[in-house]
Amino acid sequence: MSEQPDAAAAVDRVAGLLRARGDRMTGPRRAVITALAARRTHLTADQVVSAVAEQDASVHRASVYRTLETLSALGVVQHVHVGHGTTTYHLAGDHPHLHAQCSACGAVLDLPGSLLDSVSARLLAEHGFELDPSHVALSGLCADCRGRR
Amino acid sequence: MSEQPDAAAAVDRVAGLLRARGDRMTGPRRAVITALAARRTHLTADQVVSAVAEQDASVHRASVYRTLETLSALGVVQHVHVGHGTTTYHLAGDHPHLHAQCSACGAVLDLPGSLLDSVSARLLAEHGFELDPSHVALSGLCADCRGRR
DNA sequence: GTGTTTGCAAATGTTTTGCAGTGTC
DNA sequence: GACACTGCAAAACATTTGCAAACAC
């Protein structure tokens, strides 16, 4: 397991950010950061709750929600909306990439962050709209499900 | 008000589709189709409930949900996911277009359906993924909110 | 010690479901 | 007259909030 050092570093880094704002590093916050740092996949709120429970069963559901919100405001955590209203969370600072979800099987495909660059430029020039390509997952049919019809 | 003829035509068309499957055209279904045909904007489930209630207050919430699902399965109704889990519904067959939502103010921008054509082609060629550009709204900052920082 | 954060429990809001009665074909 | 569909009420989810106790600083 080589996730401990990463997680510890992330906790320290966030602790500094929190204190700079007059906020505090606490057990639940440590647990959420560690849980997110330990997995590569993005996690739903419920999956974060479970992952946190493995470390410390006394952390309450509501605290996980509040922590995710706090860390989002700090810019430490980002979320992606995939498909039917599921929100998934991950630590910011990972290599930027975007997602496409299969509307049939739910599989999520990771895509290069640059995929929408030309679209971004066009949206900005023509509509003044600044695209955030990683905030919502694209939708469509994956190769498997497409073959299956 | 020039929406009546469109709505009536839509109801008739859908009635045929329903009967072809052994299903039935009913009051609630008529009301949902009429409500969707009458507005140009996409409606949330709750807005459909309200719009339907204006026509026929006896139609129950749950029937609206069930109807939207039935009509989606028929291909008559499509839905778009915008931002934080809101789902909006509209009649299929309208000129195809896609959406971008401002993550700050929630405003929704309509965009040409062709905007993602080159991205679609690339996804298909490189990943076998068939993009459905209209199913999920893009996300970012609109011109107003961008100017506001 | 002060003020933030937490656990708890209850409230909220949305969508789903079981069932008996109603209405369409 | 069958069987699909509806209204109703309750359940199922996911997330939020008020509050007093607990903890970080």
Side-chain angles (χ1 to χ4, degrees):
Chain A
M1 298 177 203
S2 63
E3 74 237 24
Q4 296 312 330
D6 296 348
V11 168
D12 285 351
R13 185 170 59 86
V14 176
L17 292 171
L18 284 168
R19 295 202 187 96
R21 293 207 337 182
D23 291 346
R24 294 159 188 186
M25 176 53 71
T26 64
R29 288 176 180 174
R30 230 185 306 270
V32 167
I33 296 164
T34 304
L36 289 175
R39 343 239 149 181
R40 352 190 83 77
T41 31
H42 305 227
L43 302 174
T44 64
D46 199 58
Q47 289 172 325
V48 176
V49 169
S50 301
V52 163
E54 286 176 22
Q55 296 180 243
D56 180 350
S58 72
V59 175
H60 197 271
R61 256 189 119 62
S63 298
V64 171
Y65 279 95
R66 283 186 284 225
T67 296
L68 288 171
E69 194 187 320
T70 302
L71 297 182
S72 293
L74 258 188
V76 168
V77 160
Q78 294 186 322
H79 61 267
V80 182
H81 298 286
V82 297
H84 295 155
T86 320
T87 305
T88 63
Y89 298 86
H90 65 101
L91 287 182
D94 296 356
H95 40 78
H97 61 287
L98 48 89
H99 308 85
Q101 186 185 41
C102 177
S103 53
C105 70
V108 174
L109 194 65
D110 278 10
L111 298 168
S114 62
L115 183 72
L116 295 178
D117 281 356
S118 66
V119 172
S120 284
R122 215 177 128 188
L123 279 175
L124 192 58
E126 294 177 15
H127 298 93
F129 188 90
E130 183 180 343
L131 184 65
D132 176 4
S134 64
H135 188 213
V136 293
L138 300 173
S139 178
L141 279 183
C142 71
D144 285 355
C145 290
R146 204 160 51 83
R148 207 166 289 147
R149 343 205 125 170
Chain B
M1 300 180 204
S2 62
E3 74 237 24
Q4 296 313 330
D6 295 349
V11 168
D12 284 351
R13 185 170 58 87
V14 176
L17 292 172
L18 283 168
R19 294 200 190 96
R21 293 207 335 179
D23 292 346
R24 294 159 190 185
M25 175 53 71
T26 64
R29 288 176 181 175
R30 230 183 307 269
V32 168
I33 295 164
T34 303
L36 289 175
R39 342 239 151 180
R40 356 189 81 78
T41 31
H42 305 227
L43 302 175
T44 63
D46 198 59
Q47 289 171 324
V48 176
V49 170
S50 301
V52 163
E54 285 175 22
Q55 295 180 244
D56 180 349
S58 72
V59 174
H60 197 272
R61 259 189 117 60
S63 297
V64 171
Y65 279 95
R66 283 186 282 225
T67 296
L68 287 172
E69 194 189 318
T70 302
L71 297 182
S72 293
L74 258 188
V76 168
V77 162
Q78 294 186 323
H79 61 267
V80 182
H81 298 287
V82 298
H84 295 155
T86 321
T87 305
T88 63
Y89 298 85
H90 65 102
L91 287 182
D94 296 354
H95 42 78
H97 61 287
L98 47 91
H99 308 86
Q101 186 185 41
C102 177
S103 52
C105 71
V108 174
L109 194 66
D110 277 11
L111 298 169
S114 61
L115 183 72
L116 294 178
D117 281 356
S118 65
V119 172
S120 285
R122 214 176 129 191
L123 279 175
L124 192 58
E126 295 177 14
H127 298 93
F129 188 90
E130 183 180 344
L131 185 65
D132 176 5
S134 64
H135 188 214
V136 177
L138 299 173
S139 177
L141 279 183
C142 72
D144 285 355
C145 289
R146 206 159 51 83
R148 208 166 289 148
R149 347 202 122 172

